[in-house]
Amino acid sequence: MAKVIADFDLCESNGMCESFAPDVFEIDDDDYLQIADPTVTDENRDRVEQAVAGCPKAALRIEE
């Protein structure tokens, strides 16, 4: 099963990923990225792939 992984050392928590997949990514009240559900499914794969591709710091990846 595939899952999305974040490199929190690279992440700027700018919220681009949350805009693509708000059910997967969330910026918390302290402005840090949280991964609500790391599972990549058939239903969310396109949105998660867009989030990974759109990350300006390349802090996200999908691990198969």
Side-chain angles (χ1 to χ4, degrees), residues 2-50:
K3 62 182 179 175
V4 65
I5 306 291
D7 182 336
F8 293 102
D9 291 331
L10 292 175
C11 179
E12 292 181 331
S13 298
N14 59 36
M16 292 294 294
C17 54
E18 185 178 30
S19 68
F20 287 111
D23 55 323
V24 177
F25 304 100
E26 177 182 317
I27 303 300
D28 68 17
D29 293 338
D30 294 321
D31 290 331
Y32 291 106
L33 174 66
Q34 302 295 318
I35 299 178
D37 182 0
T39 307
V40 179
T41 65
D42 290 340
E43 292 79 26
N44 71 9
R45 181 172 287 275
D46 287 341
R47 293 180 287 113
V48 172
E49 287 177 348
Q50 289 176 333

